[in-house]
């Protein structure tokens, strides 16, 4: 932040974590400047009234509210009760580490948020946007998290949240700071969005590369034929097709009793949960289980160089394929696929290319889980193992190049997001003086 000037005179705020603040700024507890949770949806709301509902999972620090869900009052969860209006800021009071904070603007009249949010409403003599930025400052987020109670599900009472001290200037200066940050964050958000679009294009290129190689081969001059399988389309003339059940062994795993600490403490046997498939090439276990846990559960050993498919899981996990580089065990929501006569790495790339089709096996809408019988029906291309190895080597090499580019862009995005947070924090705590800048300077 060296390009920006500091204020001429500072004073001790009297609050350790706030440190020094500009001399003319006030320091007060938040509750003396805002109200919270002012309006609640009444229980006598008509059952057929449509609500635009926002849950904690639909909010993040940079994008704000990312999605809403339309529900009738009758079908809405009991936590869909907090009413909001433009100028409010919602701050998650549960799982506070998620940093689910958003400023409310252009809100529909029927917008309702979860009771897991504190709805903060600034008084009329302060600038709502300034305080929205204040709540996004890392120092404030750290204070909320530090005051949360619980390990796996940390939470803070809204009444405790509004007791956190805040510092602020008079309203005109608040407006200047908010305008400056509006412009700067919009510019940074545009840069971040463009980089995210680049990642999207690279991921599309990656999938296209994989699909081309595993369905057409590397030599595009060879004669082609209709495979007779919709998933495959035309394939090289010398390729055949066969269902996965005829070329592999398939079994699922098991989860030892999680209430028995002896099963999980100082274990030596690798164990994977469904989220491990996100590694694609799995190089480390999710955790370890003990020998006793292995003997007293349905967990089974999976050889190295096997393919795993998530049978269930949150978000995009279900249907994802992964390749394990070490012997391991896994939970019951994953299927191990063992190939003895065919190249496991090629089959991993084939199953990766068929992610959407595999998910669709469960149901038309993809919500149900997969099972071993469904996986057995997957059609697979079969041809000389030497050619399979050539394709696998090609994809290992070429996807690694794309992955390196994606990692570089992700690092750049992380730095932009860090700078965004640092700039907000510096401006709303008075570490930089933006009063003499136009909103477009800097």
């Amino acid at each position: 932040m060296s390009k920006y000037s500091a204020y001429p005179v500072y004073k001790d705020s009297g609050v350790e974590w706030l440190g020094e603040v500009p001399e003319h700024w006030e320091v007060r507890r938040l509750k003396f400047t805002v109200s919270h949770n002012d309006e609640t949806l009444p229980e006598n709301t008509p059952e057929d009234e449509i609500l635009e509902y926002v849950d904690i999972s639909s909010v993040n620090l940079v994008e704000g509210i990312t999605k809403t869900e339309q529900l009738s009052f009758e079908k809405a969860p009991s936590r869909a009760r907090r009413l909001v209006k433009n100028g409010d800021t919602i701050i998650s009071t549960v799982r506070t580490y998620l940093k689910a904070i958003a400023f409310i603007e252009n809100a529909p009249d029927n917008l309702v948020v979860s009771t897991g949010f504190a709805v903060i409403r600034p008084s009329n003599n302060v600038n709502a946007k300034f305080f929205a930025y204040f709540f996004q400052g890392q120092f404030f987020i750290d204070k909320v998290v530090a005051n949360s109670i619980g390990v796996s599900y940390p939470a803070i009472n809204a009444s405790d949240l509004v007791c956190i001290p805040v510092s602020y200037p008079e309203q005109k200066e608040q407006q200047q700071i908010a305008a400056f940050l509006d412009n700067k964050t919009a510019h940074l958000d545009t840069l971040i969005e463009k980089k995210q679009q680049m990642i999207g294009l690279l991921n599309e290129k990656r999938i296209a590369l994989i699909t081309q190689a595993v369905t057409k081969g590397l030599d595009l001059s060879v004669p082609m034929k209709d495979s007779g399988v919709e998933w495959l389309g035309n394939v090289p003339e010398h390729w055949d097709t066969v269902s996965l059940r005829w070329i592999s062994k398939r079994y699922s795993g098991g989860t030892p009793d999680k209430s028995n600490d002896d099963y999980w403490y100082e274990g030596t046997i690798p164990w994977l949960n469904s989220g491990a498939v996100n590694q694609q090439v799995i190089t480390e276990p999710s955790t370890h289980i003990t020998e006793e846990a292995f003997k007293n559960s349905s967990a089974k050993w999976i050889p190295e160089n096997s393919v795993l498919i998530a049978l269930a899981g949150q978000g995009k996990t279900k249907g994802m394929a992964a390749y394990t580089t070490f012997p391991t065990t896994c939970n019951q929501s994953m299927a191990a696929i063992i190939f003895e006569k065919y190249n496991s790495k090629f089959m991993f790339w084939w199953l990766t290319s068929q992610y959407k089709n595999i998910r669709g096996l469960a149901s038309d809408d993809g919500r149900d889980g997969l099972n071993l019988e469904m996986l057995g029906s997957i059609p697979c291309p079969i041809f000389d193992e030497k050619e399979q190895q050539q394709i696998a080597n090609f994809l290992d090499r070429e996807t690694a190049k794309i992955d390196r580019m994606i990692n570089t862009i992700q690092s750049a995005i992380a730095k932009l997001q860090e700078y965004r947070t640092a700039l907000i924090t510096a401006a709303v705590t008075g570490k930089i003086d933006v009063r003499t800048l136009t909103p477009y300077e800097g």
Side-chain angles (χ1 to χ4, degrees):
M1 303 299 161
S2 58
K3 64 185 291 186
Y4 300 108
S5 301
Y7 280 82
V9 183
Y10 287 84
K11 66 180 180 184
D12 184 355
S13 68
V15 179
E16 183 179 357
W17 59 275
L18 276 176
E20 290 190 334
V21 297
E23 187 178 41
H24 60 287
W25 284 31
E26 288 193 52
V27 180
R28 306 181 72 186
R29 293 190 185 277
L30 184 57
K31 64 181 180 179
F32 297 118
T33 310
V34 305
S35 60
H36 69 282
N37 299 341
D38 292 351
E39 299 179 74
T40 302
L41 196 66
E43 291 301 326
N44 62 354
T45 299
E47 291 185 347
D48 61 351
E49 184 167 327
I50 301 300
L51 310 177
E52 198 82 21
Y53 175 58
V54 177
D55 203 355
I56 291 169
S57 61
S58 302
V59 175
N60 68 60
L61 192 62
V62 175
E63 298 171 285
I65 297 174
T66 58
K67 65 178 180 179
T68 61
E69 185 178 6
Q70 286 195 343
L71 299 166
S72 65
F73 179 76
E74 179 185 20
K75 295 183 178 179
S78 59
R79 61 183 180 274
R81 293 294 183 271
R82 296 261 191 263
L83 291 172
V84 297
K85 68 179 185 180
N86 292 331
D88 292 345
T89 297
I90 55 174
I91 302 173
S92 173
T93 56
V94 296
R95 290 185 293 167
T96 48
Y97 56 85
L98 294 177
K99 304 178 185 179
I101 300 172
F103 180 66
I104 304 298
E105 52 187 341
N106 303 317
D109 293 337
N110 63 340
L111 189 65
V112 178
V113 304
S114 168
T115 52
F117 289 107
V119 179
I120 306 299
R121 185 165 294 170
S123 59
N124 292 330
N125 61 345
V126 298
N127 184 274
K129 199 64 178 291
F130 170 84
F131 276 89
Y133 280 122
F134 190 95
F135 302 141
Q136 294 179 46
Q138 190 60 51
F139 62 96
F140 182 81
I141 294 169
D142 290 344
K143 194 64 178 174
V144 170
V145 172
N147 281 275
S148 299
I149 298 172
V151 178
S152 60
Y153 204 79
I156 184 172
N157 290 326
S159 56
D160 292 331
L161 188 150
V162 296
C163 282
I164 295 175
V166 295
S167 60
Y168 55 92
E170 49 83 28
Q171 191 172 12
K172 180 182 177 181
E173 192 172 335
Q174 292 174 32
Q175 173 61 38
Q176 290 173 319
I177 293 171
F180 169 79
L181 290 175
D182 278 347
N183 176 256
K184 293 299 295 181
T185 56
H187 176 66
L188 291 169
D189 292 345
T190 298
L191 291 177
I192 290 170
E193 184 179 0
K194 287 180 178 178
K195 291 186 180 298
Q196 288 171 335
Q197 289 173 352
M198 290 172 62
I199 290 176
L201 292 172
L202 285 170
N203 278 323
E204 289 177 10
K205 179 180 178 180
R206 190 180 192 275
I207 288 296
L209 179 74
I210 295 168
T211 303
Q212 172 76 16
V214 298
T215 60
K216 309 301 179 189
L218 302 181
D219 183 359
L220 300 183
S221 67
V222 300
M224 307 293 283
K225 68 178 181 182
D226 184 355
S227 67
V229 178
E230 184 180 357
W231 285 14
L232 276 167
N234 290 332
V235 297
E237 197 171 53
H238 62 284
W239 288 18
D240 291 318
T241 60
V242 65
S243 295
L244 184 64
R245 65 170 55 89
W246 303 118
I247 60 172
S248 67
K249 295 178 181 178
R250 299 163 312 286
Y251 50 84
S252 58
T255 301
D257 183 358
K258 290 195 172 182
S259 66
N260 189 335
D261 292 340
D262 291 339
Y263 284 177
W264 302 89
Y265 182 66
E266 294 187 346
T268 57
I269 297 176
W271 184 84
L272 303 172
N273 60 28
S274 302
V277 295
N278 291 294
Q279 296 182 48
Q280 291 204 315
V281 176
I282 302 174
T283 57
E284 58 183 9
S286 305
T287 188
H288 291 83
I289 60 175
T290 62
E291 290 280 355
E292 184 183 4
F294 179 73
K295 292 176 182 177
N296 290 287
S297 72
S298 57
K300 303 176 183 68
W301 273 110
I302 302 166
E304 64 181 332
N305 304 327
S306 296
V307 179
L308 296 172
I309 292 184
L311 300 174
Q314 296 182 344
K316 298 180 179 180
T317 301
K318 185 182 68 179
M320 289 183 68
Y323 182 84
T324 182
T325 59
F326 54 90
T328 186
T329 61
C330 70
N331 71 9
Q332 67 279 6
S333 295
M334 300 176 77
I337 304 176
I338 317 301
F339 298 95
E340 295 180 348
K341 296 183 179 180
Y342 297 95
N343 187 283
S344 294
K345 198 59 173 299
F346 170 82
M347 291 300 178
F348 156 69
W349 287 119
W350 162 248
L351 292 168
T352 295
S353 75
Q354 298 306 306
Y355 167 71
K356 290 183 179 179
N357 290 326
I358 293 171
R359 279 178 70 93
L361 289 172
S363 65
D364 289 339
D365 57 17
R367 289 182 296 183
D368 297 334
L370 298 163
N371 59 45
L372 298 179
E373 184 63 26
M374 293 173 183
L375 297 186
S377 70
I378 297 172
C380 300
I382 295 299
F383 48 93
D384 178 71
E385 189 174 2
K386 181 180 178 182
E387 186 179 355
Q388 292 179 32
Q389 185 65 59
Q390 290 173 338
I391 294 173
N393 291 343
F394 169 80
L395 288 175
D396 284 348
R397 182 176 64 253
E398 296 304 313
T399 57
K401 293 177 184 177
I402 295 174
D403 291 343
R404 284 194 293 271
M405 288 189 281
I406 289 174
N407 288 337
T408 299
I409 297 171
Q410 287 174 333
S411 295
I413 289 174
K415 289 179 181 178
L416 286 171
Q417 290 173 333
E418 288 173 8
Y419 178 74
R420 185 186 193 278
T421 299
L423 183 65
I424 291 170
T425 301
V428 298
T429 56
K431 299 300 184 287
I432 59 175
D433 184 355
V434 303
R435 291 175 298 177
T436 59
L437 302 175
T438 69
Y440 304 97
E441 285 185 288

